[in-house]
Amino acid sequence: MISLQGIVPKLAAQAHASRIDGAIAEVFRKASFSGFEDVDGLAFTRGPGLSACLDIGLKKVREISLAYNLQTVGINHMEGHALALRLEDPSLEFPFLCLLVSGGHSQIVLVSGVGQYQLLGETLDIAVGDAFDKVARLLRVSDLNGGPALEARASLGRPGTLQIATPMKKYKNCDLSFSGLQTAIDVELAARLASNPGTFISDQEVNDLARSFQDAVITHIIHRLSIATKWCTAQGIETKTIVVSGGVACNASLFQAIARDFSGFGYRVLRPSSALCRDNAVMIGWAAQENVNIGQNIYTPEELQTVRYIPRWPLDGSGTDYFPGTHSAHSKSAILAHREETLAKALESLEETFSAQTAIKVCRTYLSMEKYQEAYDLAQKAMPLFPDDPYLKALGEKVNSRYKSWRNKYT
Ligand code: KG4
Ligand code: ZN
């Protein structure tokens, strides 16, 4: 895997292009495969990510699938993180709550099945891994992917030397925010440097600030997770499992704190092994297998030639706000923008292929935006075309009833 943190997209794309054939050769060597003749199918990351890098992967699978007549599965990177643990722990059943924490994302997702994801909350600013990396740079602990180094320094730090307020305490939803925590360290460091010009702070001070930052991150995440567990209970969703995944899940203090706090409420708190927490190709292969098992997202070599990569691809395309009325003005506009964007993307894929799946996506988005007329019109068009699709049928019924009560109210 090529780390993209801090590297400009063009260089990242060049690195992908120059290494992809070597990576494939290495996989064959390790697996003792003689070539693609030994392969049953292909999996690739369709998004989200840098366009230039996604493009390289897609072009490669297009070429191979045609040459060897192989079917291909297109995977959402975050789905890879969410399902990774099921490879190592087949006893992990749906539904479970998933904390996805990496350098690019911070999300709390309810995973009810393969392809069934509800995004309960996500960061409104930077990802938690990004915040770790930035603080590691500020404290001169590490220049790149500084999370592990900062954790090591935090383990030597004393608790409570800098009190950092927990973000968004008054907003009772699952959104997250980390830029304020980073700023708190930035401001404190600047003050200490100003009072002692010409020298950097001591090692002990670095450790203490690292500890204060990490503790604040942990408190914030646990607070948001506790809102998620209460929401699940209120919805009657039976889950007693929390999975922590993504690179930041490697942070032992974070994981242990979540395990300690939630085990008291009867939760199992689990994470994949560190190699599977961090970005890796195995999780994409595994998520592909999970999709194949239910016949989803599979393309023939011919279909693949017109499939596009998706740089911004929310795991939950419904755009649903699961905590209406609990957001700050800032996050409200962020959610609106997110929904508009989701709708535009969903309409784009509907235009590309009018399938039950794309129609469902657009219908759900319309519902979440209270566009009942549009949802109804589309459901009326799609249902006769795909009469055997149980998901479309269920959604069609929901659309009908919402549409009727809306009509009754306004006409
Ligand atoms: O999932 P990942 O490998 O790549 C992305 O999709 O971003 O996550 C990488 C991120 C980096 O920001 C890295 O600093 C952070 O995960 N990370 C950690 C730890 N190990 C990795 N952050 C805090 N503590 C750790 N032990
Ligand atoms: Zn990742």
Side-chain angles (χ1 to χ4, degrees):
M1 273 285 116
I2 302 161
S3 167
L4 303 181
Q5 299 287 314
I7 303 178
V8 293
K10 203 170 147 204
L11 292 182
Q14 279 167 4
H16 270 71
S18 65
R19 291 186 207 183
I20 194 161
D21 288 328
I24 293 170
E26 195 181 329
V27 168
F28 280 166
R29 190 178 51 73
K30 284 190 178 158
S32 306
F33 278 16
S34 51
F36 282 104
E37 299 76 18
D38 293 343
V39 170
D40 296 326
L42 304 169
F44 79 108
T45 305
R46 193 174 176 197
L50 288 174
S51 301
C53 301
L54 296 171
D55 188 43
I56 286 161
L58 177 56
K59 283 193 177 128
K60 186 52 80 180
V61 280
R62 277 187 186 153
E63 181 189 312
I64 301 166
S65 71
L66 269 187
Y68 295 90
N69 192 28
L70 292 170
Q71 298 213 325
T72 304
V73 190
I75 294 297
N76 182 309
H77 176 87
M78 301 313 288
E79 179 175 35
H81 279 304
L83 298 178
L85 182 61
R86 279 171 48 88
L87 169 64
E88 292 181 322
D89 183 354
S91 75
L92 173 61
E93 286 181 2
F94 302 115
F96 56 85
L97 267 176
C98 192
L99 172 71
L100 291 172
V101 274
S102 70
H105 293 87
S106 304
Q107 304 179 335
I108 298 176
V109 180
L110 176 66
V111 182
S112 302
V114 177
Q116 295 174 43
Y117 310 108
Q118 285 169 273
L119 180 61
L120 302 186
E122 64 185 327
T123 182
L124 299 177
D125 37 65
I126 58 174
V128 59
D130 194 13
F132 264 95
D133 297 343
K134 284 179 170 144
V135 171
R137 266 199 298 276
L138 282 174
L139 296 179
R140 301 191 187 167
V141 164
S142 166
D143 276 344
L144 203 63
N145 284 334
L150 198 71
E151 181 185 12
R153 298 299 292 265
S155 71
L156 304 170
R158 295 165 298 182
T161 56
L162 177 68
Q163 298 294 338
I164 307 176
T166 305
M168 301 168 67
K169 269 205 111 160
K170 62 179 176 178
Y171 300 109
K172 304 286 179 224
N173 58 52
C174 291
D175 285 335
L176 298 136
S177 167
F178 298 99
S179 65
L181 304 183
Q182 179 210 322
T183 306
I185 299 297
D186 202 354
V187 168
E188 178 66 17
L189 180 64
R192 292 190 191 186
L193 293 180
S195 64
N196 233 334
T199 54
F200 197 63
I201 58 173
S202 71
D203 280 355
Q204 185 60 52
E205 282 180 290
V206 168
N207 299 345
D208 290 346
L209 287 180
R211 174 72 186 259
S212 295
F213 167 76
Q214 184 175 273
D215 285 351
V217 165
I218 293 172
T219 306
H220 176 43
I221 288 179
I222 286 181
H223 179 226
R224 305 327 266 180
L225 271 177
S226 71
I227 295 175
T229 57
K230 284 181 194 137
W231 181 85
C232 286
T233 309
Q235 303 288 315
I237 296 160
E238 297 268 329
T239 177
K240 282 287 172 199
T241 307
I242 297 173
V243 174
V244 189
S245 194
V248 185
C250 295
N251 187 297
S253 309
L254 171 67
F255 178 74
Q256 282 158 13
I258 297 172
R260 191 189 54 231
D261 279 27
F262 288 92
S263 62
F265 296 100
Y267 279 86
R268 291 196 306 162
V269 181
L270 307 166
R271 62 175 168 179
S273 57
S274 8
L276 272 194
C277 278
R278 289 192 292 266
D279 277 1
N280 65 88
V282 173
M283 70 183 191
I284 302 301
W286 171 251
Q289 181 62 58
E290 294 253 48
N291 273 270
V292 167
N293 293 347
I294 56 165
Q296 240 174 221
N297 297 320
I298 308 170
Y299 306 105
T300 63
E302 293 70 33
E303 284 167 344
L304 190 66
Q305 306 311 307
T306 56
V307 162
R308 291 198 221 151
Y309 56 82
I310 313 176
R312 276 170 299 167
W313 186 8
L315 202 46
D316 170 359
S318 74
T320 307
D321 177 4
Y322 298 99
F323 298 87
T326 64
H327 306 277
S328 67
H330 161 62
S331 62
K332 236 186 213 162
S333 61
I335 285 170
L336 198 67
H338 176 69
R339 281 190 192 153
E340 295 288 358
E341 190 184 310
T342 307
L343 180 64
K345 291 267 162 213
L347 284 169
E348 205 175 288
S349 54
L350 186 72
E351 223 166 81
E352 210 173 282
T353 353
F354 194 101
S355 64
Q357 216 181 345
T358 52
I360 287 172
K361 210 185 265 179
V362 175
C363 256
R364 282 204 181 129
T365 314
Y366 278 145
L367 278 188
S368 74
M369 297 173 86
E370 299 178 4
K371 293 180 183 247
Y372 298 115
Q373 183 69 55
E374 287 86 337
Y376 179 77
D377 291 345
L378 179 57
Q380 290 302 308
K381 189 172 160 197
M383 281 195 299
L385 292 173
F386 310 103
D388 300 329
D389 191 293
Y391 297 108
L392 184 60
K393 193 160 172 258
L395 183 66
E397 281 162 11
K398 189 166 155 186
V399 168
N400 268 343
S401 88
R402 296 262 181 103
Y403 174 71
K404 276 186 194 140
S405 50
W406 172 73
R407 292 271 305 194
N408 289 341
K409 216 161 151 188
Y410 292 109
T411 57

